Amino acid sequence: MALINSAAENNITFVRPAYFIISGFIGIPNIRYYFVFLCFIYILSVVGNTLVMIVITLDHMLRSPKYIAVFNLTFTDLLSSSALVPKVVDIFLFNHYYISYNDCLTFMFFSFTLYAMQAFNLVVLSFDRVMAIMYPLHYQMRVSHKLILSLTAFFWLLAITLTLIAVGLLTRLSFCQSVIIQSYYCDNGPMYRLGCNDATPNYIFAALAIVLVLGFPLAFIVGSYCCIGYSLSKISTFRERVKAFKTCTGHLSLVAIYFLPVIFVYAFGRVIHPNARIINLSIATVLPPMLNPIIYVLQTQEIKESLRRLLKARVQAKLEVFRFKHL
């Protein structure tokens, strides 16, 4: 903010283009089939996340602090898919490559905020699992609804603040040469590299944001599972260890789906073709919101039992209506 105020005081004029051009998928052969695939992923994501939210809302047995975090995860996944996939399909499938300056910053704000919240939600779920296994007798006292809601609110505030700073730093750049963004959406890195003036603050903050959004969550989760492994080693019987560890398999799957593709892209991004990098990064962004609800339905016993109860109650209600009509 000091840089922006300083620029205002010194009467510096920033060159802001009327529009940017998103060029991520341009020139890739048969790319239309990939957009059909994205549409399919988006539909599954909307249906799956909406179903999980409905189940958690309707079933009073799923009102524990853990399911507040699960509900927030599915809510974030639904918003993340809706903010990204329809816009990407509109840009590239219908050739709307031009996006206005303000719309691009807005697109970036929602995409980055929701992507960061996906990682922070995994931190909350990791905290819940480590407390449940390390302190099983005191879990309900230590992990309350208020605590999970407070953690969730803090991470939402952190994600929004980080993205607002990134967007604010972009507004102090002049775009006097190219306006072509080498990505499939309004990506912070490719955008600040187009700036004509000093982009050092953008570069420093981008590195800090990567540490906070990817490095810290991953380190916390790894540390949590080290604590969980230590606690499980103290359990006397192998059967009880497996039973306790099974409560973590759903969360571990979510962590792997979120972090492994991103780590792969950043680790090998310089040696693979730019088009392959863009496709891999887009898949890493859109797949987790689709797979998360499927994993939680398949690997979480409480949700499977809740689905059975709700379906049974619905069938019984229809049978009662049918009998009443034929009396």
Side-chain angles (χ1 to χ4, degrees), residues 12 38 79 91-92 156 175 183 194-195 198 205 224 231 287 324:
I12 297 174
L38 285 183
L79 292 182
I91 290 170
F92 295 102
W156 270 109
F175 299 92
S183 184
L194 297 176
D198 183 22
F205 184 77
S224 297
S231 297
L287 269 186
F324 180 77

Side-chain angles (χ1 to χ4, degrees), residues 29-259:
N30 302 316
I31 194 63
R32 288 182 178 271
Y33 296 109
Y34 181 67
F35 298 134
V36 174
F37 173 67
L38 285 183
C39 291
F40 177 71
I41 287 178
Y42 176 63
I43 292 169
L44 286 181
S45 176
V46 170
V47 172
N49 285 295
T50 303
L51 177 64
V52 173
M53 286 193 293
I54 290 172
V55 170
I56 293 173
T57 303
L58 294 179
D59 194 338
H60 294 281
M61 302 291 288
L62 301 178
R63 296 296 171 84
S64 65
K66 172 186 174 181
Y67 286 101
I68 293 176
V70 173
F71 184 91
N72 189 57
L73 175 68
T74 56
F75 177 68
T76 304
D77 286 343
L78 180 61
L79 292 182
S80 178
S81 295
S82 299
L84 184 66
V85 178
K87 186 64 178 176
V88 169
V89 171
D90 175 63
I91 290 170
F92 295 102
L93 190 60
F94 300 104
N95 301 326
H96 296 155
Y97 304 122
Y98 294 79
I99 181 170
S100 71
Y101 179 85
N102 289 332
D103 287 349
C104 196
L105 294 183
T106 303
F107 186 20
M108 174 189 156
F109 170 78
F110 284 106
S111 298
F112 269 64
T113 299
L114 295 167
Y115 186 75
M117 267 312 297
Q118 287 177 315
F120 294 147
N121 283 330
L122 294 176
V123 171
V124 177
L125 286 168
S126 178
F127 171 77
D128 174 83
R129 288 301 82 209
V130 74
M131 296 300 288
I133 291 176
M134 291 189 68
Y135 308 101
L137 299 179
H138 302 93
Y139 170 74
Q140 292 184 342
M141 294 176 58
R142 290 173 180 265
V143 183
S144 63
H145 292 79
K146 182 179 179 180
L147 176 60
I148 295 297
L149 286 171
S150 299
L151 282 174
T152 302
F154 168 76
F155 282 127
W156 270 109
L157 184 61
L158 177 60
I160 291 170
T161 302
L162 289 174
T163 312
L164 281 176
I165 294 173
V167 172
L169 288 172
L170 281 174
T171 62
R172 56 167 289 280
L173 294 179
S174 290
F175 299 92
C176 51
Q177 296 177 358
S178 176
V179 292
I180 300 175
I181 300 174
Q182 300 289 339
S183 184
Y184 63 98
Y185 72 112
C186 294
D187 196 349
N188 183 45
M191 285 182 70
Y192 75 68
R193 292 188 188 98
L194 297 176
C196 300
N197 50 331
D198 183 22
T200 302
N202 302 72
Y203 175 80
I204 293 172
F205 184 77
L208 176 64
I210 289 173
V211 171
L212 291 175
V213 173
L214 294 176
F216 161 71
L218 186 58
F220 182 88
I221 291 167
V222 170
S224 297
Y225 277 97
C226 288
C227 295
I228 287 172
Y230 177 73
S231 297
L232 292 178
S233 67
K234 292 184 175 182
I235 299 176
S236 56
T237 64
F238 177 76
R239 187 175 180 179
E240 289 298 317
R241 290 178 198 167
V242 172
K243 184 179 178 182
F245 184 73
K246 278 185 176 180
T247 64
C248 302
T249 54
H251 178 256
L252 272 175
S253 301
L254 302 185
V255 171
I257 289 169
Y258 182 88
F259 284 103

